[in-house]
Amino acid sequence: MASPRICCSALLVLLLVSSCNAGDHPACPAAWSAAVGAELFHGGVGGGGGGEAQCSAAAPHTPVAVFAHDVDPVRFALNLEFAEAEFFLHAAFGVGLDHLAPNLTLGGPPPVGARKAGLDELTWRVCAEFAYQEIGHLRAIQRTVGGIPRPLIDLSAHNFARVMDEAVGYHLDPPFDPYANSLNFLLAVYVIPYLGINGYTGTNPLIDGYATKRLVAGLLAVESGQDAVVRGLLFEHRRETVSPYGATVAELTDRVSALRNKLGQCGVKDEGLIVPEQLGAEGKICTNILSANVDSLSYSRTPAELLRILYLTGDEHVPGGFYPEGANGRIARMFLKKPPRINHGV
C-alpha cells in the first residue's frame, strides 16, 4: 500500500496539472518535472554523505533586517511593480489586481485603459508568467517594508501611442496599439519594465538591512530575467517591419531608448537592440540583447530620473504619462510637495 505522503504528493501533482489551464490557450502538458519530483516524493535531495545537507545561509554580518533608511527607497519601487502587474495581468487575462489580488492594492484606484491583448501562445505564456511574478513582487515588498496605495496608472493604448509618437518624432497613423498583437505588445513591454532594473540597481547601494538587501537582489534578478526574455524575443524580430509604420523593430527600440535618455537627462543609460560596435560588449559586437555599460554592468537610475521618464514630462515635479496624478510614497510625493500616501502595515 502506498504511503500517505506519496498519495498526497501524487494528488498535488494532478491538481497542478489540471489547474494549469489558460482559458483560450492550451493547458499545460501532463509532463513530469524532474526538478520538483525529488522534492515531492523524497522531501529534497540529501548531501550524499549520510548527513543532512546545509541549506541555510550564514548569519548576516549586520543583524538588522530592515533599517529605517531602507524603507522609502524600496517602497518607491512599488510604483513600477504596480504598473507592471496591471499591464501583464490585463494583457493576459483581461483583469487586474482588483480581481486576482485586491488586498495588495491598499485601496488605490484601478488602472486606466488596460485590456486583454491579442497574443499568440508563446507571448501569452510569457505574459501570464510575468503577471503572476509581479503579484509575488508586490507581496514580498509589502511584507518586508510595508506598502503604498496603488497609484492611478494610465495603461491606455492612447498613452502608449503618445510614447511611440514622441519616440519617432511624429504621429503614427494609425496610432500605435500595444494590445493589438504580440509584436506591438512586446514593443510596449520594452517601454516600462527595463526602468525597474535601473531603479533596483540604483537602490542597492542605499540599503543596509539584510532582509531588504535580500529582497532587492531577488527582485533585480527576476526583473532582469524578464527584460532579457523580452529583448531576446524582440531581437528575433529585429529586422521585421512593424506594420503599417515602415520602421523595423530594431529602429523602434532604439528610438524608445533615446527618448528615455532624453527624458532622464543624465546621459546614456539606455540602448536599443543594435548599437555601433564600439558601444557593444568590449567594443567588439553590435548586437545588444542586454543593455549594459562599458563594463557590461546594469545602468543605474535615481527615483528622480525614473519619474522624469515615467511622467513623460522630463520633470519629476510634473506628473503625467503613466502616472497622471503622480506616483505614491514619500520620495515621489516629496517632489510634488504632497502627502506621501503610505501604509505602515507590513
Side-chain angles (χ1 to χ4, degrees):
M1 179 177 176
S3 72
R5 177 167 184 169
I6 293 178
C7 291
C8 290
S9 300
L11 178 59
L12 175 60
V13 172
L14 289 173
L15 287 171
L16 286 171
V17 171
S18 63
S19 66
C20 191
N21 194 313
D24 295 335
H25 299 267
C28 293
W32 180 252
S33 170
V36 300
E39 175 66 25
L40 287 173
F41 282 115
H42 304 296
V45 180
E52 288 296 321
Q54 178 62 40
C55 299
S56 300
H61 294 294
T62 305
V64 179
V66 180
F67 282 92
H69 60 261
D70 296 348
V71 173
D72 287 337
V74 179
R75 279 182 178 169
F76 177 82
L78 285 165
N79 289 291
L80 267 165
E81 297 287 0
F82 275 126
E84 293 173 30
E86 294 291 8
F87 187 43
F88 290 136
L89 285 170
H90 279 86
F93 306 112
V95 295
L97 290 170
D98 288 317
H99 184 84
L100 293 169
N103 59 306
L104 297 178
T105 69
L106 300 182
V112 174
R115 58 184 172 85
K116 201 171 190 299
L119 306 178
D120 59 44
E121 186 186 352
L122 172 62
T123 310
W124 181 88
R125 290 204 176 278
V126 169
C127 178
E129 181 176 337
F130 288 4
Y132 286 130
Q133 288 173 346
E134 297 304 331
I135 292 177
H137 291 180
L138 289 167
R139 184 176 59 249
I141 295 173
Q142 292 183 10
R143 183 175 58 229
T144 305
V145 297
I148 59 175
R150 175 182 55 190
L152 180 65
I153 306 168
D154 187 349
L155 296 172
S156 65
H158 172 78
N159 203 41
F160 280 98
R162 176 187 168 191
V163 173
M164 289 301 180
D165 286 352
E166 292 192 22
V168 301
Y170 57 89
H171 290 293
L172 295 175
D173 184 25
F176 178 82
D177 182 355
Y179 303 104
N181 54 59
S182 293
L183 186 57
N184 280 23
F185 174 74
L186 290 171
L187 286 166
V189 174
Y190 185 89
V191 171
I192 301 178
Y194 170 74
L195 297 174
I197 300 173
N198 300 154
Y200 287 130
T201 303
T203 297
N204 189 54
L206 306 178
I207 58 178
D208 293 296
Y210 68 83
T212 42
K213 290 177 78 70
R214 181 173 59 211
L215 171 68
V216 169
L219 291 165
L220 179 56
V222 174
E223 293 284 339
S224 298
Q226 291 178 352
D227 186 62
V229 169
V230 171
R231 291 179 71 103
L233 290 171
L234 286 170
F235 187 81
E236 245 189 323
H237 297 279
R238 64 193 180 280
R239 297 190 182 93
E240 185 175 328
T241 299
V242 182
S243 179
Y245 307 122
T248 66
V249 168
E251 289 168 340
L252 283 180
T253 61
D254 180 68
R255 297 293 185 86
V256 169
S257 288
L259 174 63
R260 290 191 294 214
N261 286 329
K262 175 184 174 183
L263 291 170
Q265 302 177 36
C266 291
V268 174
K269 298 187 176 183
D270 227 303
E271 300 160 340
L273 300 174
I274 303 292
V275 294
E277 190 171 282
Q278 61 269 27
L279 295 181
E282 295 302 297
K284 298 183 184 300
I285 194 165
C286 63
T287 57
N288 197 48
I289 299 174
L290 301 181
S291 181
N293 68 13
V294 66
D295 294 316
S296 292
L297 303 177
S298 176
Y299 289 107
S300 170
R301 280 183 166 121
T302 66
E305 290 176 73
L306 295 173
L307 292 173
R308 290 172 205 149
I309 298 167
L310 292 163
Y311 289 170
L312 304 181
T313 62
D315 188 339
E316 63 271 32
H317 305 92
V318 181
F322 292 101
Y323 302 90
E325 297 178 354
N328 279 346
R330 186 171 281 109
I331 292 175
R333 305 310 283 182
M334 177 186 66
F335 291 122
L336 301 178
K337 297 182 179 179
K338 292 183 178 180
R341 294 183 184 171
I342 59 177
N343 185 299
H344 294 285
V346 292

